[in-house]
Amino acid sequence: MKKITGIFLSMLFAVTLAACGAKAPAGEDVKEETKTEDVNDEKMTEEKKDDKTSAKTDLNVFAAASMTESLEELKAVFEEENPDLNLVFNFDSSGTLKTQIAEGADCDVFISAAKKQMDELDPNSDTKDSDITIDPDTRFDLLENEVTLAVKEDSRKDIRSFDDIKTDKVETIALGNADVPVGQYSESLLKNMGVWDDIQEKITFGSNVKEVTSWVSEGAVDCGIIYSTDAKAAGLKIVDTADPDMLDKKVIYPAAILDKSAKKEACEKFLSFLNSDEANEVFSQYGFKPAN
């Protein structure tokens, strides 16, 4: 009996030692607990960030491509002053933007590079052609731009004026398509100069002013007719500026809130900001002028 008891005690002692050996050192337990706490802290931090982001209201602004640089700079200023708002830009030709809006795209504010596209969304206009419209009470003329003839800074073509377009100095010229404002301004200018029909073989048409500007910058064409703002932003050389009397219409940028927007108060705050001295200072740096 004593022998059996001794054997039992020996086995019990061995099992106890094995259990103690399997147990992790106290220091490792603390490390595991600390790691878990760190992960939890990181999760809480990420959740707080997500909460802040989700708390912001997105304003979808459809703006003419020529406003890209100026509005991107103003975005940071506006959002710093209005931390609950987030500007989401869609830049393209005004004709493309107008079509997207008419087809139901999510847009709160529209800024066009010409009155034509805004008129097509204005319920008070004779040329309205869309069921989706702007709120006419919010419409106003924001900026004015200039139509220019631009070349690469290192161009050797000796192009000095619009009159050179009809000469052998210009073999290729880039213009905007007829459905984009910069193309419409260019066409009216060249027709009023009496050279439109004579230069058709020289023309390469672009889908918006940024594409035309890019071709001039890359030297793909001898020159291009673009806005003053785009020429300055791209570091191009402006050789001539169109006389406003030679254009059918002034280069005016109207702005308005979409009638269907559910964020009218926030939109009004943004448009008010665009009319501020602070915003006008930035616009002027890019070549824009306040609309008269």
Side-chain angles (χ1 to χ4, degrees):
M1 186 72 174
K2 287 183 180 179
K3 187 175 182 180
I4 293 173
T5 302
I7 292 172
F8 175 74
L9 290 174
S10 297
M11 291 174 64
L12 180 62
F13 182 67
V15 170
T16 303
L17 284 177
C20 290
K23 186 177 181 182
E28 290 187 14
D29 284 343
V30 173
K31 287 181 180 178
E32 287 299 321
E33 291 175 3
T34 303
K35 183 185 288 185
T36 302
E37 290 175 0
D38 289 342
V39 171
N40 289 335
D41 288 342
E42 288 178 7
K43 286 183 178 179
M44 290 177 66
T45 301
E46 289 300 320
E47 287 174 0
K48 287 180 180 179
K49 287 181 180 178
D50 291 339
D51 288 342
K52 288 181 179 179
T53 302
S54 61
K56 285 192 171 188
T57 297
D58 285 345
L59 282 187
N60 296 304
V61 179
F62 284 33
S66 50
M67 300 188 72
T68 301
E69 293 81 10
S70 56
L71 284 183
E72 287 289 4
E73 182 171 334
L74 287 170
K75 172 182 168 71
V77 179
F78 178 77
E79 291 180 354
E80 185 175 354
E81 295 176 0
N82 300 275
D84 59 325
L85 298 178
N86 179 49
L87 297 177
V88 180
F89 291 127
N90 178 20
F91 295 110
D92 210 320
S93 72
S94 300
T96 297
L97 296 176
K98 178 263 169 181
T99 298
Q100 291 173 351
I101 292 171
E103 292 176 350
D106 188 6
C107 174
D108 297 300
V109 174
F110 180 37
I111 310 175
S112 172
K115 293 185 177 183
K116 178 180 183 294
Q117 289 74 25
M118 190 67 76
D119 288 343
E120 291 170 351
L121 296 174
D122 193 331
N124 294 337
S125 170
D126 294 335
T127 58
K128 181 185 85 71
D129 63 4
S130 169
D131 292 332
I132 296 175
T133 62
I134 60 165
D135 178 350
D137 293 335
T138 67
R139 177 177 176 172
F140 69 99
D141 292 340
L142 175 64
L143 299 167
E144 183 177 348
N145 210 339
E146 294 179 317
V147 174
T148 65
L149 181 64
V151 300
K152 285 184 67 176
E153 187 65 41
D154 59 355
S155 172
R156 298 181 180 179
K157 286 287 186 174
D158 193 33
I159 300 169
R160 300 185 181 184
S161 73
F162 285 107
D163 289 331
D164 289 332
I165 294 174
K166 60 187 177 184
T167 70
D168 293 339
K169 290 182 180 180
V170 175
E171 296 178 19
T172 54
I173 181 172
L175 306 177
N177 285 332
D179 63 341
V180 302
V182 72
Q184 293 157 7
Y185 293 128
S186 301
E187 184 174 340
S188 69
L189 170 66
L190 296 170
K191 282 183 175 179
N192 289 335
M193 288 176 58
V195 300
W196 176 252
D197 293 333
D198 298 332
I199 65 168
Q200 288 302 300
E201 293 184 357
K202 300 182 179 184
I203 301 174
T204 299
F205 290 103
S207 60
N208 59 50
V209 71
K210 290 301 180 187
E211 187 168 35
V212 176
T213 302
S214 176
W215 289 339
V216 179
S217 298
E218 295 166 358
V221 292
D222 296 332
C223 58
I225 297 181
I226 57 178
Y227 299 123
S228 168
T229 51
D230 292 281
K232 291 178 180 178
L236 298 176
K237 182 179 179 181
I238 295 175
V239 296
D240 202 0
T241 300
D243 183 339
D245 293 335
M246 293 295 287
L247 301 174
D248 292 342
K249 297 178 181 178
K250 294 177 68 175
V251 187
I252 299 296
Y253 287 58
I257 300 172
L258 269 293
D259 191 48
K260 67 173 184 174
S261 175
K263 311 161 190 172
K264 294 285 181 68
E265 186 175 345
C267 292
E268 289 171 358
K269 187 177 293 187
F270 176 59
L271 291 184
S272 178
F273 168 75
L274 294 183
N275 256 330
S276 67
D277 292 338
E278 186 175 20
N280 279 325
E281 185 175 338
V282 172
F283 284 135
S284 65
Q285 291 172 1
Y286 286 92
F288 286 107
K289 298 185 293 185
N292 295 324

